[in-house]
Amino acid sequence: MSRELDHILGDAPKPPSIRLDDHLDDETFTAWRGLRVDVSTLYATLTELGWKIDTEESDLMHGMSKVWRDSGIKVWLWLENFVSTPPDGDIEPFDTIRFYRFDPAAMPTRTMLERLHSQGLPADLGPGRLDELRGYLDHADPQTETFDLLTPIRFRDVPRDLLEEAWLEIEEGVRLERPE
């Protein structure tokens, strides 16, 4: 996977190596908490791999998520604080990673555009405004208001193939602040 993302990752330092099997009983991964992460690289890498940003604040992000709807699994990667979206050279301390289970039948399926329309965005945006919102529409998680549908689970309760997929992608995206 790294070869495909070399144009984003360059030679940025990686966080300390983690043996995933040592964390199977964890509900919350905190081993990297406080490490200063290059959020621009995180955003570029994970959105290219299908991850979404949280949408609690319109032009800010606090975390990123990925969903396997058919399996009813969601993973959230959290930063310590909010950063601009898309990030532009932002460096922010890493916080946690958590996996959740949900009932696919209970989880809404609306798109980000449908969510914005339900919040009063005019149906006819026009091409200019739609282009302006494209990054947000493509990379924002429309389900951030559904935390009550998520149940935290231990890493061992995530299907192994999904756990490994998520972990490989996280390892690809998490790069530390470059030393001066």
Side-chain angles (χ1 to χ4, degrees), residues 55 67 69 74 76 107-112 115 140-147 149-150:
T55 54
V67 171
R69 179 171 286 282
K74 185 169 193 169
W76 272 102
M107 183 64 74
T109 59
R110 68 183 174 176
T111 66
M112 196 64 223
R115 177 178 165 193
D141 182 347
Q143 311 307 340
T144 54
E145 299 165 343
T146 57
F147 282 104
L149 300 176
L150 301 175

Coordinates of all heavy atoms in Angstrom, one line a residue, residues 55 67 69 74 76 107-112 115 140-147 149-150:
T55 N -18.2 15.5 11.3 CA -18.9 16.8 10.9 C -19.6 17.5 12.0 O -20.6 18.1 11.8 CB -19.9 16.4 9.8 OG1 -20.8 15.4 10.3 CG2 -19.3 15.9 8.5
V67 N -16.5 2.9 7.9 CA -17.7 2.0 8.2 C -17.6 0.8 7.3 O -17.4 0.9 6.1 CB -19.0 2.8 8.0 CG1 -20.2 1.8 8.1 CG2 -19.1 3.9 9.0
R69 N -20.6 -1.3 6.7 CA -22.0 -1.3 7.0 C -22.6 -2.7 7.0 O -23.3 -3.0 8.0 CB -22.8 -0.5 5.9 CG -24.3 -0.5 6.1 CD -25.0 0.4 5.2 NE -24.8 1.8 5.6 CZ -25.4 2.4 6.6 NH1 -26.3 1.7 7.4 NH2 -25.2 3.7 6.9
K74 N -17.8 0.1 12.8 CA -17.3 1.4 12.6 C -16.1 1.6 13.4 O -16.0 1.2 14.6 CB -18.3 2.5 12.9 CG -17.9 3.9 12.5 CD -19.1 4.8 12.6 CE -18.8 6.1 11.9 NZ -20.0 7.0 11.8
W76 N -13.4 4.7 14.7 CA -13.1 6.2 14.9 C -11.7 6.3 15.3 O -11.3 5.7 16.3 CB -14.1 6.8 15.9 CG -15.4 7.3 15.3 CD1 -16.6 6.6 15.4 CD2 -15.6 8.5 14.6 NE1 -17.5 7.4 14.8 CE2 -17.0 8.5 14.2 CE3 -14.8 9.5 14.1 CZ2 -17.5 9.5 13.5 CZ3 -15.3 10.5 13.4 CH2 -16.7 10.5 13.1
M107 N -29.0 2.0 11.4 CA -28.1 3.1 11.0 C -28.7 3.8 9.8 O -28.9 3.1 8.7 CB -26.7 2.6 10.8 CG -25.7 3.6 10.5 SD -25.4 4.8 11.8 CE -24.4 3.8 12.9
P108 N -28.9 5.1 9.8 CA -29.3 5.8 8.6 C -28.4 5.6 7.4 O -27.2 5.4 7.6 CB -29.4 7.3 9.1 CG -29.4 7.2 10.6 CD -28.7 6.0 10.9
T109 N -28.9 5.7 6.3 CA -28.1 5.5 5.0 C -28.0 6.8 4.2 O -27.5 6.8 3.1 CB -28.7 4.4 4.1 OG1 -30.0 4.8 3.8 CG2 -28.7 3.1 4.8
R110 N -28.5 7.9 4.8 CA -28.5 9.2 4.0 C -27.0 9.6 3.7 O -26.1 9.3 4.4 CB -29.2 10.3 4.7 CG -28.5 10.7 6.0 CD -29.4 11.7 6.7 NE -28.7 12.1 8.0 CZ -29.1 13.0 8.8 NH1 -30.2 13.6 8.5 NH2 -28.4 13.2 9.9
T111 N -26.9 10.3 2.6 CA -25.7 10.8 2.1 C -25.4 12.2 2.8 O -26.3 12.8 3.4 CB -25.6 11.0 0.6 OG1 -26.6 12.1 0.3 CG2 -26.0 9.8 -0.1
M112 N -24.2 12.7 2.7 CA -23.9 14.0 3.2 C -24.8 15.1 2.6 O -25.3 16.0 3.3 CB -22.4 14.3 3.0 CG -21.9 15.4 3.9 SD -22.0 15.0 5.6 CE -22.6 16.5 6.3
R115 N -28.2 15.0 4.1 CA -28.1 15.5 5.4 C -28.2 17.0 5.4 O -28.9 17.7 6.2 CB -26.9 15.0 6.2 CG -26.8 15.6 7.6 CD -25.6 15.1 8.3 NE -25.3 16.0 9.5 CZ -24.3 16.0 10.2 NH1 -23.3 15.1 9.9 NH2 -24.1 16.8 11.2
A140 N -17.0 13.9 4.2 CA -17.6 14.0 5.5 C -18.5 12.8 5.9 O -19.2 12.3 5.0 CB -18.4 15.3 5.6
D141 N -18.5 12.4 7.1 CA -19.3 11.3 7.6 C -20.7 11.9 8.0 O -20.8 12.7 8.9 CB -18.7 10.7 8.9 CG -19.4 9.5 9.4 OD1 -20.6 9.3 9.0 OD2 -18.8 8.8 10.3
P142 N -21.7 11.5 7.2 CA -23.1 12.0 7.5 C -23.7 11.4 8.7 O -24.8 11.8 9.1 CB -23.8 11.7 6.2 CG -23.2 10.5 5.7 CD -21.7 10.6 6.1
Q143 N -23.1 10.5 9.4 CA -23.7 9.8 10.5 C -23.1 10.1 11.8 O -23.1 9.4 12.8 CB -23.6 8.3 10.3 CG -24.0 7.7 8.9 CD -25.4 8.2 8.5 OE1 -26.2 8.6 9.3 NE2 -25.7 8.2 7.2
T144 N -22.5 11.4 12.0 CA -21.9 11.7 13.3 C -22.9 12.0 14.4 O -22.5 12.1 15.5 CB -20.9 12.9 13.1 OG1 -21.6 14.0 12.5 CG2 -19.7 12.5 12.3
E145 N -24.2 12.1 14.0 CA -25.2 12.3 15.0 C -25.8 11.0 15.5 O -26.8 11.0 16.2 CB -26.3 13.2 14.5 CG -25.7 14.6 14.0 CD -26.7 15.4 13.2 OE1 -27.6 14.7 12.6 OE2 -26.5 16.6 13.0
T146 N -25.2 9.9 15.2 CA -25.7 8.6 15.5 C -24.9 7.8 16.5 O -24.9 6.6 16.6 CB -25.9 7.8 14.3 OG1 -24.6 7.7 13.6 CG2 -26.9 8.4 13.3
F147 N -24.1 8.5 17.4 CA -23.3 7.8 18.4 C -24.1 7.0 19.3 O -23.6 6.0 19.8 CB -22.4 8.8 19.2 CG -21.3 9.3 18.4 CD1 -21.3 10.6 17.9 CD2 -20.2 8.5 18.2 CE1 -20.2 11.1 17.1 CE2 -19.1 9.0 17.5 CZ -19.1 10.3 16.9
L149 N -26.2 4.9 18.5 CA -26.4 3.6 17.8 C -25.2 2.8 17.9 O -25.2 1.6 17.5 CB -26.9 3.8 16.4 CG -28.2 4.6 16.1 CD1 -28.4 4.8 14.6 CD2 -29.3 3.9 16.8
L150 N -24.1 3.3 18.4 CA -22.8 2.6 18.4 C -22.5 2.1 19.8 O -22.7 2.7 20.8 CB -21.7 3.6 18.0 CG -21.8 4.3 16.6 CD1 -20.7 5.3 16.5 CD2 -21.8 3.3 15.5

